[in-house]
Coordinates of all heavy atoms in Angstrom, one line a residue:
R19 N 12.5 -15.8 2.9 CA 12.1 -16.6 4.1 C 12.3 -18.1 3.8 O 12.4 -18.9 4.7 CB 10.6 -16.4 4.3 CG 10.4 -15.0 4.8 CD 8.9 -14.8 5.3 NE 8.7 -13.5 5.6 CZ 8.7 -13.0 6.9 NH1 8.9 -13.8 7.9 NH2 8.4 -11.7 7.1
V20 N 12.4 -18.5 2.6 CA 12.6 -19.9 2.2 C 13.7 -20.0 1.3 O 13.8 -19.3 0.3 CB 11.4 -20.5 1.6 CG1 11.6 -22.0 1.2 CG2 10.2 -20.4 2.5
L21 N 14.7 -20.9 1.5 CA 15.8 -21.1 0.7 C 16.0 -22.6 0.4 O 15.9 -23.4 1.4 CB 17.0 -20.5 1.4 CG 18.3 -20.4 0.6 CD1 18.2 -19.4 -0.6 CD2 19.5 -19.9 1.4
R22 N 16.1 -23.0 -0.8 CA 16.3 -24.4 -1.1 C 17.6 -24.9 -0.4 O 18.5 -24.2 -0.2 CB 16.5 -24.6 -2.6 CG 15.3 -24.6 -3.4 CD 15.7 -25.1 -4.8 NE 15.5 -23.9 -5.7 CZ 15.7 -24.0 -6.9 NH1 16.1 -25.1 -7.5 NH2 15.5 -22.9 -7.7
P23 N 17.6 -26.2 -0.2 CA 18.8 -26.8 0.3 C 19.9 -26.5 -0.6 O 19.8 -26.6 -1.8 CB 18.5 -28.3 0.4 CG 17.0 -28.4 0.6 CD 16.5 -27.2 -0.3
A24 N 21.0 -26.1 -0.1 CA 22.2 -25.7 -0.9 C 22.0 -24.5 -1.7 O 22.8 -24.1 -2.6 CB 22.7 -26.9 -1.8
G25 N 20.9 -23.7 -1.4 CA 20.7 -22.5 -2.2 C 21.5 -21.3 -1.6 O 22.2 -21.4 -0.6
R26 N 21.6 -20.3 -2.5 CA 22.4 -19.1 -2.1 C 21.5 -17.9 -1.9 O 20.5 -17.8 -2.7 CB 23.4 -18.8 -3.2 CG 24.4 -19.9 -3.4 CD 25.4 -19.6 -4.5 NE 24.7 -19.2 -5.7 CZ 25.2 -18.5 -6.7 NH1 26.4 -18.0 -6.6 NH2 24.6 -18.2 -7.8
L27 N 21.8 -17.1 -1.0 CA 21.1 -15.9 -0.6 C 21.9 -14.7 -1.2 O 23.1 -14.6 -0.7 CB 20.8 -15.7 0.8 CG 20.2 -14.4 1.3 CD1 18.8 -14.3 0.7 CD2 20.2 -14.4 2.8
L28 N 21.5 -14.0 -2.1 CA 22.2 -12.9 -2.8 C 21.8 -11.6 -2.1 O 20.5 -11.4 -2.0 CB 22.0 -12.9 -4.2 CG 22.3 -14.1 -5.0 CD1 22.0 -14.0 -6.5 CD2 23.8 -14.6 -4.8
L29 N 22.6 -10.8 -1.7 CA 22.3 -9.6 -1.0 C 23.0 -8.3 -1.6 O 24.2 -8.4 -1.9 CB 22.8 -9.6 0.5 CG 22.3 -10.8 1.3 CD1 23.3 -11.3 2.3 CD2 21.0 -10.4 2.0
I30 N 22.2 -7.2 -1.7 CA 22.8 -5.9 -1.9 C 22.0 -5.0 -0.9 O 20.8 -4.9 -1.0 CB 22.5 -5.4 -3.4 CG1 23.3 -6.4 -4.3 CG2 23.1 -4.0 -3.5 CD1 23.1 -6.0 -5.8
E31 N 22.8 -4.4 0.0 CA 22.1 -3.7 1.1 C 22.9 -2.4 1.4 O 24.1 -2.4 1.3 CB 22.1 -4.5 2.4 CG 21.2 -5.6 2.4 CD 19.8 -5.3 2.8 OE1 19.6 -4.3 3.6 OE2 18.8 -5.9 2.4
H32 N 22.1 -1.3 1.8 CA 22.9 -0.2 2.4 C 22.8 -0.5 3.9 O 21.9 -1.1 4.4 CB 22.2 1.1 2.0 CG 20.9 1.4 2.5 ND1 19.8 1.2 1.7 CD2 20.4 1.9 3.7 CE1 18.7 1.4 2.4 NE2 19.0 1.9 3.6
V33 N 23.9 -0.3 4.5 CA 24.1 -0.8 5.9 C 24.8 0.3 6.8 O 25.1 1.4 6.3 CB 25.1 -2.0 5.9 CG1 24.5 -3.2 5.2 CG2 26.4 -1.7 5.3
R34 N 24.9 0.0 8.0 CA 25.5 1.0 9.0 C 27.0 1.2 8.6 O 27.7 0.3 8.4 CB 25.4 0.4 10.4 CG 25.8 1.3 11.5 CD 25.6 0.7 12.8 NE 25.7 1.6 13.9 CZ 26.8 2.0 14.5 NH1 27.9 1.5 14.1 NH2 26.8 2.9 15.5
G35 N 27.3 2.5 8.6 CA 28.7 2.8 8.3 C 29.6 2.8 9.5 O 29.3 2.2 10.5
E36 N 30.7 3.5 9.4 CA 31.7 3.6 10.5 C 31.9 5.0 10.9 O 31.6 5.9 10.2 CB 33.1 3.0 10.0 CG 33.0 1.6 9.5 CD 32.9 0.6 10.6 OE1 33.4 0.9 11.7 OE2 32.3 -0.5 10.4
G37 N 32.4 5.2 12.1 CA 32.7 6.5 12.7 C 31.6 7.5 12.6 O 30.5 7.3 13.0
G38 N 31.9 8.7 12.0 CA 30.9 9.8 12.0 C 29.7 9.4 11.1 O 28.6 9.9 11.5
R39 N 29.9 8.6 10.1 CA 28.7 8.2 9.3 C 27.7 7.4 10.2 O 26.5 7.6 10.1 CB 29.1 7.5 8.1 CG 27.9 7.1 7.2 CD 28.3 6.5 5.9 NE 29.0 7.5 5.1 CZ 29.8 7.3 4.1 NH1 30.0 6.0 3.8 NH2 30.3 8.2 3.5
A40 N 28.2 6.5 11.0 CA 27.4 5.7 11.9 C 26.6 6.6 12.9 O 25.4 6.4 13.1 CB 28.2 4.7 12.7
V41 N 27.3 7.6 13.4 CA 26.6 8.6 14.3 C 25.4 9.3 13.6 O 24.4 9.4 14.1 CB 27.6 9.6 14.9 CG1 26.9 10.7 15.6 CG2 28.7 8.9 15.7
L42 N 25.7 9.7 12.3 CA 24.7 10.4 11.5 C 23.5 9.4 11.2 O 22.4 9.8 11.4 CB 25.3 10.9 10.2 CG 24.3 11.5 9.2 CD1 23.6 12.7 9.7 CD2 25.0 11.8 7.9
Q43 N 23.8 8.2 10.9 CA 22.8 7.2 10.6 C 21.9 7.0 11.8 O 20.7 6.9 11.7 CB 23.4 5.9 10.2 CG 24.0 6.0 8.8 CD 24.8 4.8 8.4 OE1 25.5 4.2 9.1 NE2 24.6 4.3 7.2
E44 N 22.5 6.9 13.0 CA 21.7 6.7 14.2 C 20.8 7.9 14.5 O 19.7 7.7 14.9 CB 22.7 6.5 15.4 CG 23.5 5.2 15.4 CD 22.6 3.9 15.4 OE1 21.5 4.0 16.0 OE2 23.1 2.9 14.8
A45 N 21.3 9.1 14.2 CA 20.5 10.3 14.4 C 19.3 10.4 13.4 O 18.2 10.8 13.8 CB 21.4 11.5 14.2
V46 N 19.5 9.9 12.1 CA 18.4 10.1 11.2 C 17.5 8.8 11.1 O 16.5 8.9 10.4 CB 18.9 10.5 9.8 CG1 19.7 11.8 9.8 CG2 19.7 9.4 9.2
A47 N 17.9 7.8 11.7 CA 17.1 6.5 11.6 C 15.7 6.6 11.9 O 14.8 6.1 11.2 CB 17.8 5.4 12.4
P48 N 15.3 7.2 13.1 CA 13.8 7.3 13.4 C 13.0 8.0 12.3 O 12.0 7.5 11.8 CB 13.8 8.0 14.7 CG 15.1 7.8 15.3 CD 16.1 7.8 14.2
A49 N 13.5 9.1 11.8 CA 12.8 9.8 10.8 C 12.8 9.1 9.5 O 11.8 9.0 8.7 CB 13.4 11.2 10.6
S50 N 13.9 8.5 9.1 CA 14.1 7.7 7.9 C 13.1 6.5 7.8 O 12.5 6.3 6.8 CB 15.5 7.2 7.7 OG 15.7 6.6 6.5
R51 N 12.9 5.9 9.0 CA 12.0 4.8 9.1 C 10.5 5.2 8.8 O 9.8 4.6 8.1 CB 12.0 4.1 10.4 CG 13.2 3.2 10.5 CD 13.1 2.4 11.8 NE 14.5 1.9 12.1 CZ 15.3 2.3 13.0 NH1 15.0 3.4 13.7 NH2 16.5 1.8 13.1
I52 N 10.2 6.4 9.3 CA 8.8 7.0 9.1 C 8.6 7.5 7.7 O 7.6 7.2 7.0 CB 8.5 8.1 10.1 CG1 8.4 7.4 11.6 CG2 7.2 8.8 9.8 CD1 8.5 8.4 12.7
L53 N 9.6 8.3 7.2 CA 9.4 9.0 6.0 C 9.7 8.1 4.7 O 9.1 8.3 3.7 CB 10.3 10.2 5.9 CG 10.0 11.3 6.9 CD1 11.1 12.4 6.9 CD2 8.7 11.9 6.7
F54 N 10.7 7.2 4.8 CA 11.1 6.4 3.7 C 11.0 4.9 3.8 O 11.3 4.2 3.0 CB 12.6 6.8 3.4 CG 12.9 8.2 3.2 CD1 13.6 8.9 4.2 CD2 12.3 9.0 2.2 CE1 13.9 10.2 4.0 CE2 12.5 10.3 2.1 CZ 13.4 11.0 3.0
C55 N 10.5 4.5 5.0 CA 10.4 3.0 5.3 C 11.8 2.4 5.1 O 11.9 1.3 4.5 CB 9.3 2.3 4.4 SG 7.7 2.9 4.7
C56 N 12.8 3.0 5.6 CA 14.2 2.6 5.4 C 14.9 2.7 6.7 O 14.7 3.7 7.4 CB 14.8 3.6 4.4 SG 16.5 3.5 4.2
S57 N 15.8 1.7 6.9 CA 16.6 1.7 8.1 C 18.1 1.8 7.7 O 18.7 0.9 7.3 CB 16.4 0.4 8.9 OG 15.1 0.3 9.4
P58 N 18.6 3.1 7.8 CA 20.0 3.3 7.2 C 21.1 2.7 8.1 O 22.2 2.7 7.8 CB 20.1 4.8 7.1 CG 19.2 5.3 8.2 CD 18.0 4.3 8.3
N59 N 20.7 2.2 9.3 CA 21.8 1.8 10.3 C 21.7 0.3 10.5 O 22.1 -0.2 11.6 CB 21.6 2.5 11.6 CG 20.3 2.4 12.2 OD1 19.3 1.9 11.5 ND2 20.1 2.8 13.4
R60 N 21.2 -0.5 9.5 CA 21.2 -2.0 9.7 C 22.6 -2.6 9.8 O 23.5 -2.2 9.1 CB 20.4 -2.6 8.6 CG 18.9 -2.3 8.6 CD 18.3 -3.2 7.6 NE 16.9 -2.7 7.5 CZ 16.2 -2.6 6.4 NH1 16.8 -2.9 5.3 NH2 15.0 -2.2 6.4
R61 N 22.7 -3.6 10.6 CA 23.9 -4.4 10.7 C 23.6 -5.7 10.0 O 23.5 -6.8 10.7 CB 24.3 -4.6 12.1 CG 24.8 -3.2 12.7 CD 25.3 -3.4 14.1 NE 25.9 -2.2 14.5 CZ 25.7 -1.6 15.7 NH1 24.8 -2.0 16.5 NH2 26.4 -0.5 15.9
T62 N 23.4 -5.7 8.7 CA 22.9 -6.8 8.0 C 23.8 -8.0 8.0 O 23.4 -9.2 8.2 CB 22.6 -6.4 6.5 OG1 21.7 -5.3 6.5 CG2 22.0 -7.6 5.7
A63 N 25.1 -7.8 7.8 CA 26.1 -8.9 7.8 C 26.0 -9.7 9.1 O 26.0 -10.9 9.2 CB 27.5 -8.4 7.5
E64 N 26.0 -9.0 10.2 CA 25.9 -9.6 11.6 C 24.6 -10.5 11.7 O 24.6 -11.6 12.2 CB 26.0 -8.6 12.7 CG 27.4 -8.0 12.8 CD 27.5 -6.7 12.0 OE1 26.7 -6.4 11.1 OE2 28.5 -5.9 12.2
A65 N 23.5 -9.9 11.2 CA 22.2 -10.6 11.3 C 22.2 -11.9 10.4 O 21.7 -12.9 10.8 CB 21.1 -9.7 10.9
V66 N 22.8 -11.8 9.3 CA 22.9 -12.9 8.3 C 23.8 -14.1 9.0 O 23.3 -15.2 9.0 CB 23.4 -12.5 6.9 CG1 23.7 -13.7 6.1 CG2 22.4 -11.7 6.3
R67 N 24.9 -13.7 9.6 CA 25.7 -14.7 10.2 C 25.0 -15.3 11.4 O 25.1 -16.4 11.7 CB 27.0 -14.1 10.6 CG 27.9 -13.8 9.5 CD 29.3 -13.4 9.9 NE 30.1 -13.1 8.7 CZ 30.3 -12.0 8.1 NH1 29.8 -10.9 8.7 NH2 31.0 -11.8 7.0
A68 N 24.3 -14.4 12.2 CA 23.5 -14.9 13.4 C 22.5 -15.9 13.0 O 22.1 -16.7 13.8 CB 23.0 -13.7 14.2
A69 N 22.0 -15.8 11.8 CA 20.9 -16.7 11.3 C 21.4 -18.0 10.8 O 20.7 -18.9 10.4 CB 20.1 -16.0 10.3
G70 N 22.8 -18.2 11.0 CA 23.3 -19.5 10.6 C 23.9 -19.6 9.2 O 24.0 -20.7 8.7
F71 N 24.2 -18.4 8.6 CA 24.8 -18.4 7.2 C 26.3 -18.1 7.3 O 26.7 -17.4 8.1 CB 24.1 -17.4 6.4 CG 22.7 -17.7 6.0 CD1 21.7 -17.4 6.8 CD2 22.4 -18.4 4.8 CE1 20.3 -17.7 6.5 CE2 21.1 -18.7 4.4 CZ 20.1 -18.4 5.3
E72 N 27.0 -18.6 6.3 CA 28.3 -18.1 6.0 C 28.2 -17.1 4.9 O 27.4 -17.2 4.0 CB 29.2 -19.3 5.4 CG 29.5 -20.3 6.5 CD 30.4 -21.4 6.0 OE1 31.1 -21.2 5.0 OE2 30.3 -22.5 6.5
L73 N 28.9 -16.0 5.1 CA 28.7 -14.8 4.2 C 30.0 -14.4 3.6 O 31.0 -14.2 4.3 CB 28.1 -13.7 5.0 CG 27.9 -12.4 4.3 CD1 26.9 -12.6 3.1 CD2 27.4 -11.3 5.3
A74 N 30.1 -14.3 2.3 CA 31.2 -13.7 1.6 C 30.6 -12.3 1.1 O 29.6 -12.2 0.5 CB 31.6 -14.5 0.4
E75 N 31.3 -11.2 1.6 CA 30.8 -9.9 1.4 C 31.9 -9.0 0.9 O 33.1 -9.2 1.0 CB 30.2 -9.3 2.6 CG 31.2 -9.1 3.7 CD 30.6 -8.6 5.0 OE1 30.3 -7.4 5.0 OE2 30.5 -9.4 6.0
E76 N 31.4 -7.9 0.2 CA 32.3 -6.8 -0.3 C 31.6 -5.5 0.0 O 30.5 -5.3 -0.4 CB 32.5 -7.0 -1.8 CG 33.4 -6.0 -2.4 CD 33.5 -6.1 -3.9 OE1 33.2 -7.1 -4.4 OE2 33.9 -5.1 -4.5
A77 N 32.3 -4.6 0.7 CA 31.7 -3.3 1.0 C 32.0 -2.4 -0.2 O 33.0 -2.5 -0.9 CB 32.4 -2.8 2.3
F78 N 31.1 -1.4 -0.3 CA 31.3 -0.4 -1.3 C 30.5 0.9 -1.0 O 29.7 0.8 0.0 CB 30.9 -0.9 -2.8 CG 29.5 -1.2 -3.0 CD1 28.6 -0.4 -3.5 CD2 29.0 -2.5 -2.6 CE1 27.3 -0.7 -3.7 CE2 27.7 -2.8 -2.8 CZ 26.8 -1.9 -3.3
E79 N 30.7 1.9 -1.7 CA 30.0 3.2 -1.4 C 29.0 3.4 -2.5 O 29.3 3.2 -3.7 CB 31.0 4.4 -1.4 CG 32.0 4.3 -0.3 CD 31.6 5.0 0.9 OE1 31.0 6.1 0.8 OE2 31.8 4.5 2.0
L80 N 27.8 3.9 -2.2 CA 26.8 4.2 -3.1 C 27.0 5.7 -3.6 O 26.5 6.6 -2.9 CB 25.4 4.0 -2.6 CG 25.0 2.6 -2.3 CD1 23.7 2.5 -1.5 CD2 24.8 1.9 -3.6
E81 N 27.7 5.9 -4.6 CA 28.0 7.3 -5.0 C 26.8 8.1 -5.4 O 25.8 7.5 -5.9 CB 28.9 7.3 -6.2 CG 30.3 6.7 -5.9 CD 31.1 7.4 -4.8 OE1 31.0 8.7 -4.8 OE2 31.8 6.8 -4.1
G82 N 26.7 9.3 -5.0 CA 25.5 10.1 -5.3 C 24.4 10.0 -4.3 O 23.4 10.7 -4.4
S83 N 24.5 9.1 -3.4 CA 23.5 8.9 -2.4 C 23.7 9.9 -1.2 O 24.9 10.3 -0.9 CB 23.5 7.5 -1.8 OG 23.1 6.6 -2.8
P84 N 22.7 10.1 -0.4 CA 22.9 11.0 0.8 C 23.9 10.2 1.7 O 24.0 9.0 1.7 CB 21.5 11.0 1.4 CG 20.5 10.7 0.3 CD 21.3 9.8 -0.6
A85 N 24.6 11.0 2.6 CA 25.7 10.5 3.4 C 25.2 9.3 4.3 O 25.9 8.3 4.5 CB 26.3 11.5 4.2
W86 N 23.9 9.4 4.7 CA 23.4 8.3 5.7 C 23.0 7.1 5.0 O 22.7 6.0 5.6 CB 22.2 8.9 6.5 CG 21.1 9.3 5.7 CD1 20.0 8.5 5.4 CD2 20.8 10.6 5.3 NE1 19.1 9.2 4.7 CE2 19.5 10.5 4.6 CE3 21.4 11.8 5.3 CZ2 18.9 11.6 4.0 CZ3 20.9 12.9 4.7 CH2 19.7 12.8 4.1
T87 N 23.0 7.0 3.6 CA 22.7 5.7 2.9 C 23.9 5.3 2.0 O 23.7 4.4 1.2 CB 21.4 5.9 2.1 OG1 21.6 6.9 1.1 CG2 20.3 6.2 2.9
R88 N 25.0 5.9 2.2 CA 26.1 5.7 1.2 C 26.8 4.4 1.5 O 27.3 3.7 0.6 CB 27.1 6.8 1.3 CG 27.9 7.0 0.0 CD 28.6 8.2 0.0 NE 27.7 9.3 -0.3 CZ 27.9 10.6 -0.1 NH1 29.0 11.0 0.5 NH2 27.0 11.5 -0.4
S89 N 26.9 3.9 2.8 CA 27.6 2.7 3.1 C 26.7 1.5 2.6 O 25.6 1.4 2.9 CB 27.8 2.5 4.6 OG 28.7 3.6 5.0
A90 N 27.4 0.5 1.9 CA 26.6 -0.6 1.3 C 27.5 -1.8 1.3 O 28.7 -1.7 1.4 CB 26.1 -0.3 0.0
F91 N 26.9 -3.0 1.0 CA 27.7 -4.1 0.8 C 26.9 -5.1 -0.1 O 25.7 -5.0 -0.2 CB 28.1 -4.9 2.0 CG 27.1 -5.9 2.6 CD1 27.3 -7.2 2.4 CD2 26.1 -5.5 3.4 CE1 26.4 -8.1 2.8 CE2 25.2 -6.4 3.9 CZ 25.3 -7.7 3.6
Q92 N 27.6 -5.9 -0.9 CA 27.0 -7.0 -1.6 C 27.6 -8.3 -1.1 O 28.8 -8.3 -0.6 CB 27.3 -6.8 -3.1 CG 28.7 -6.8 -3.5 CD 28.9 -6.4 -4.9 OE1 27.9 -6.1 -5.6 NE2 30.1 -6.5 -5.4
G93 N 26.8 -9.4 -1.1 CA 27.3 -10.6 -0.6 C 26.5 -11.8 -1.0 O 25.4 -11.7 -1.6
V94 N 27.1 -12.9 -0.8 CA 26.5 -14.2 -1.1 C 26.6 -15.0 0.2 O 27.7 -15.2 0.8 CB 27.2 -15.0 -2.2 CG1 26.5 -16.4 -2.4 CG2 27.3 -14.2 -3.5
A95 N 25.4 -15.5 0.7 CA 25.3 -16.3 1.9 C 24.8 -17.7 1.6 O 24.0 -17.9 0.7 CB 24.3 -15.6 2.9
V96 N 25.4 -18.7 2.3 CA 25.0 -20.0 2.2 C 24.8 -20.6 3.6 O 25.5 -20.1 4.6 CB 26.0 -20.9 1.4 CG1 26.1 -20.5 0.0 CG2 27.4 -20.9 2.0
K97 N 23.8 -21.4 3.8 CA 23.5 -22.0 5.1 C 24.7 -22.8 5.6 O 25.2 -23.7 4.8 CB 22.2 -22.8 5.0 CG 21.6 -23.1 6.3 CD 21.1 -21.9 7.0 CE 20.2 -22.3 8.3 NZ 19.8 -21.1 9.0
R98 N 25.1 -22.7 6.8 CA 26.2 -23.5 7.4 C 25.6 -24.9 7.6 O 24.5 -25.1 7.9 CB 26.6 -23.0 8.8 CG 27.6 -21.9 8.6 CD 28.1 -21.5 10.1 NE 28.0 -20.1 10.2 CZ 27.4 -19.5 11.1 NH1 26.7 -20.1 12.1 NH2 27.3 -18.2 11.1
E99 N 26.4 -25.9 7.3 CA 26.0 -27.3 7.5 C 26.2 -27.8 8.9 O 27.0 -27.4 9.6 CB 26.8 -28.1 6.6 CG 26.7 -27.6 5.1 CD 25.8 -28.4 4.2 OE1 25.5 -29.5 4.5 OE2 25.4 -27.8 3.2

């Protein structure tokens, strides 16, 4: 919630996938929120940019995770001046 001036926000998130995975994530999201307090279909990169940050990101797969939580990204965000 608070970031120092010129601070960096470091992120590692599982996020909404593409294609069939996104459809699966949308289907399991309500139950996942209740059972695991987890939202597997977040559009985190878009939310970070909408909050006024520049974001350098890299997508990757969480191997060994269930299909609905496999899409992930890591990134560094800085506040736009």
